[in-house]
Structures are given as structure tokens and as C-alpha cells.
Amino acid sequence: MLGVFKNGVVSPPQELYSPASSSAMASKSPQETLKDFLASNPNIGFSLEFVDKGFLAYASPQRQHISQQRLFCSLNDVYCIFLGSLNNLCALNKQYGLSKVSNEAMFVIEAYCTLRDRGPMPAHRVLKELEGGFGFLIYDHKAGVVFAANGGDESVNLYWGIAADGSVMISDNVKHVKASCGKSFAPFPAGCMYHSERGLMSFEHPMKKMKAMPRVDSEGALCGAYFAVDAFSKVNTSMPRVDSAANWG
């Protein structure tokens, strides 16, 4: 899985950038990393480009190397790449009135669209209902919104970083992220979600703020910060929601 979104579509936390990246060896452009992704997944990989916005790339799992379910789905210009599985998918489909044959990626899209359009509850409540190991990336092309989440059990590893051209990359392959982002990358925090209009938050502890934790690699170079829940903080909830988009933040 590989998602790249141009600067302005996604505004990542400033702490994800490392000054060490500017002095490191020249990084590959996101387009070059995309070519590497497709070359490493011949016949099973494809990409979708969104002009002036970015691109998504996906590769179907090879049967002889299936260690984790990978799914791609799109509906009404909303695209989702889902990694992992949900143990309570049948119950979730019933709860949300979806077809029993809906897979995890389709469920995530349907749930996203329901909350986006009707907003019955905030996203963190829905995510807390998901049982299993998962990570997913959604791109809503019409709204220009990026939404990503990583389950709390850490069975799915996601990474994100800032490329030399300011683009934000999200992938489960750390080599691809490092190729374009250099030191400006970090693991995507478990139990958290990111909305391009609302920022990063913990869906497991939605009333707590996130704090940046400095990271140094084996060479002593400062890397992009890892984000963790600040147990001693509290989110200000005094501001009322003004539209349905607030439910996905």
C-alpha cells in the first residue's frame, strides 16, 4: 500500500519533519518510489493518480505469501485500502444495515460516507467498535479529504513521512517511505486516526491530546517524531460542532 498526497492536501504535524533530511543523500521523488512499488509488484500492482492531489497504489496479496489480508475498494469517488481483518465484521454490517457480503474495505467506506453525510456519531466511537487488527487509508476525491487509522493491537504497521517536495506519504512498507522521506518519517501511531482537516488524534483516548516524542536512529540522527497520547492532557471540548464533517475528526 502506498498513498502520496501533495502539500496542501495534507498538512502533517511539523514534528514529523527532520532537519537531518536536508543534509542526507538525495531522496527519491514520490514518482520514483511509485515506479519502484509497481516494479516490485508486477502483474498485481496498480496505481490511481488524482491530478494535483496525489496518488494511491495497491498490490493484491500473492496467495503463496498471504500473511495479512489486503483489500481495495472504491465507491462514489471514495477510495479505501484496508489491511488486516475485523473479527466482528458480520455484526458491524448488520448494525449499519450493510450487505452480509460487504468486506472490511467496503464497510469502512460505507461507515465513512454515513458519518460524513449524516454524522450520527463521531468517528472515534465507530473505530473503537472495530475488533481485530487493522489499518486503512481513505481518500475522498470529491471532498479532497484524507483519512487514515491504525488499530490499537499493533498487528498492522503503518508509516508516514514528508518527502523532499513536501508531499506526505503513507505506507505499510517502511523502505518506500524512507526512500522518499529520508529521516522525516515515523511509525503511524497505533490506536490513532488522522483526518486531513482535523489532524491526528487517539480514537482509544479521544479526550487526551497527542504529544511528539523525539526519535534518534542508530546513527544518532534526529528522525521524524513519534506521536503518543499525553496522559496528563485534556482536549478542549467547549467548541460546538458546526457541520457533519466534524464527525470525522
Side-chain angles (χ1 to χ4, degrees), residues 21-75:
S21 289
S22 60
S23 60
M25 296 179 61
S27 300
K28 292 184 177 181
S29 70
Q31 289 74 19
E32 289 174 320
T33 298
L34 172 61
K35 290 180 180 179
D36 290 343
F37 176 92
L38 296 175
S40 63
N41 296 283
N43 304 319
I44 60 171
F46 67 88
S47 65
L48 297 172
E49 182 175 359
F50 306 96
V51 178
D52 297 327
K53 299 294 184 180
F55 59 79
L56 291 174
Y58 169 81
S60 302
Q62 295 177 312
R63 291 184 179 180
Q64 65 270 32
H65 300 297
I66 293 180
S67 59
Q68 189 177 81
Q69 179 176 242
R70 296 168 179 264
L71 300 168
F72 173 85
C73 188
S74 65
L75 178 68

Side-chain angles (χ1 to χ4, degrees), residues 60-218:
S60 302
Q62 295 177 312
R63 291 184 179 180
Q64 65 270 32
H65 300 297
I66 293 180
S67 59
Q68 189 177 81
Q69 179 176 242
R70 296 168 179 264
L71 300 168
F72 173 85
C73 188
S74 65
L75 178 68
N76 297 329
D77 265 348
V78 178
Y79 303 84
C80 175
I81 299 176
F82 186 99
L83 309 179
S85 59
L86 299 178
N87 301 329
N88 61 335
L89 178 61
C90 291
L92 291 169
N93 283 332
K94 183 177 181 180
Q95 178 180 342
Y96 286 86
L98 304 180
S99 168
K100 293 182 180 179
V101 298
S102 292
N103 60 29
E104 284 88 345
M106 179 57 76
F107 166 76
V108 168
I109 285 183
E110 293 278 11
Y112 166 83
C113 291
T114 297
L115 295 183
R116 179 197 63 188
D117 299 336
R118 287 180 277 169
M121 67 176 71
H124 66 79
R125 292 187 185 178
V126 178
L127 292 174
K128 288 182 71 172
E129 294 178 349
L130 308 186
E131 298 176 5
F134 66 89
F136 65 79
L137 174 61
I138 287 176
Y139 178 57
D140 183 342
H141 185 43
K142 288 183 178 179
V145 166
V146 176
F147 186 84
N150 197 12
D153 69 352
E154 301 185 30
S155 62
V156 174
N157 296 316
L158 295 181
Y159 305 88
W160 61 341
I162 304 174
D165 66 355
S167 298
V168 173
M169 303 185 72
I170 302 176
S171 179
D172 62 323
N173 189 320
V174 67
K175 292 182 180 179
H176 290 319
V177 176
K178 291 176 68 174
S180 288
C181 302
K183 306 293 185 181
S184 297
F185 84 97
F188 190 95
C192 292
M193 64 184 193
Y194 175 83
H195 187 286
S196 56
E197 295 179 350
R198 307 285 290 183
L200 180 68
M201 70 172 288
S202 168
F203 63 78
E204 294 186 328
H205 305 283
M207 301 304 294
K208 302 295 183 182
K209 295 181 180 180
M210 303 294 294
K211 63 179 179 179
M213 309 290 289
R215 290 192 315 127
V216 177
D217 65 12
S218 59

